[in-house]
């Protein structure tokens, strides 16, 4: 049976529709062109896009690099205690240093490794000497310059534009990414 909605129900329906639109907007894909080691090259292409009436923004985007593994002793109660422990470790011939700042400040670092197996091996070696070291994953990040095009902007660019761009800058990549991840 079809019935008329009460006037009070309409704002809730409009709010639900707006909420769905917001989620959809966040999940849209932007086109990225890059990376640009030299900023002037990115600026050149942004100007060329602007001449074609396409808005492109040159941005520095944080990229995920390889995972690293940090072997450490958790922070001690004071800096004095940390240096006392450091002297004890170094007297045993164990390469280490006091962590000066961050969430592990006043802890002891035994090194950062690119391979998990090496970190686990060091933790085991230290454990056999009665040292309760731990390790944690540290994602390595770095910044790259990319031109970000909003959803739908690519449709305004002719195939010839992409061909010419590929000939002039063969090292460039074009990829899709969630716009919410590259918001600037």
């Amino acid at each position: 049976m079809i019935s008329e909605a009460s006037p009070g129900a309409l704002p809730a329906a409009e709010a639900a529709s707006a909420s769905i639109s917001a989620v959809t907007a966040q999940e849209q894909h932007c086109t990225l062109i890059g990376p640009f080691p030299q900023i002037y090259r990115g600026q050149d292409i942004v100007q060329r896009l602007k001449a074609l009436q396409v808005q492109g923004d040159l941005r520095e985007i944080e990229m995920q690099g390889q995972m690293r593994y940090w072997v450490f002793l958790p922070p001690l109660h004071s800096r004095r205690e940390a240096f006392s422990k450091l002297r004890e470790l170094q007297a045993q011939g164990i390469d280490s240093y006091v962590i000066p700042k961050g969430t592990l400040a006043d802890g002891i670092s035994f090194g950062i490794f690119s391979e998990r197996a090496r970190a686990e091996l060091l933790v085991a070696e230290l454990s056999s000497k009665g040292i309760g070291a731990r390790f944690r994953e540290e994602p390595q990040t770095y910044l790259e310059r990319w031109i970000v095009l909003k959803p739908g902007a690519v449709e305004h660019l002719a195939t010839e534009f992409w061909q010419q761009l590929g000939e002039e800058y063969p090292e460039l990549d074009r990829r899709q990414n969630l716009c919410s991840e590259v918001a600037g």
Side-chain angles (χ1 to χ4, degrees):
M1 177 165 135
I2 299 175
S3 62
E4 220 173 79
S6 67
L10 291 177
E14 289 172 0
S17 175
S19 174
I20 291 169
S21 295
V23 169
T24 304
Q26 288 178 346
E27 294 178 356
Q28 289 183 324
H29 284 83
C30 289
T31 299
L32 278 66
I33 305 169
F36 294 96
Q38 298 89 7
I39 194 167
Y40 71 90
R41 287 187 171 182
Q43 291 169 334
D44 172 56
I45 294 173
V46 166
Q47 291 304 314
R48 289 165 64 180
L49 289 165
K50 195 177 284 186
L52 297 170
Q53 298 182 343
V54 173
Q55 176 65 36
D57 297 316
L58 185 61
R59 297 185 193 155
E60 284 194 333
I61 297 175
E62 190 171 309
M63 307 297 282
Q64 290 294 326
Q66 101 180 58
M67 190 63 70
R68 300 180 308 172
Y69 304 91
W70 192 0
V71 179
F72 65 94
L73 278 180
L76 299 165
H77 298 292
S78 68
R79 175 104 0 168
R80 172 180 267 167
E81 191 177 333
F83 277 103
S84 175
K85 184 69 173 177
L86 178 68
R87 283 189 293 280
E88 177 187 318
L89 292 166
Q90 289 180 341
Q92 294 178 50
I94 299 171
D95 189 23
S96 52
Y97 68 90
V98 172
I99 301 168
K101 60 184 178 181
T103 58
L104 295 176
D106 297 334
I108 306 288
S109 175
F110 299 102
I112 298 175
F113 301 89
S114 60
E115 298 168 9
R116 181 184 185 111
R118 290 184 62 204
E120 289 172 341
L121 181 64
L122 180 56
V123 167
E125 284 177 22
L126 292 169
S127 179
S128 72
K129 296 177 181 180
I131 301 165
R134 303 180 191 166
F135 81 91
R136 75 177 189 190
E137 295 181 342
E138 293 282 323
Q140 189 175 13
T141 61
Y142 58 95
L143 294 176
E144 284 185 340
R145 284 185 208 89
W146 289 79
I147 294 173
V148 178
L149 303 174
K150 293 188 181 350
V154 177
E155 286 80 37
H156 299 294
L157 297 171
T159 305
E160 293 79 22
F161 172 80
W162 295 113
Q163 288 174 340
Q164 184 178 6
L165 195 62
E167 289 171 11
E168 291 178 41
Y169 300 99
E171 72 282 0
L172 291 185
D173 191 14
R174 179 172 52 160
R175 59 176 77 159
Q176 298 285 309
N177 208 353
L178 289 175
C179 294
S180 58
E181 293 182 4
V182 294

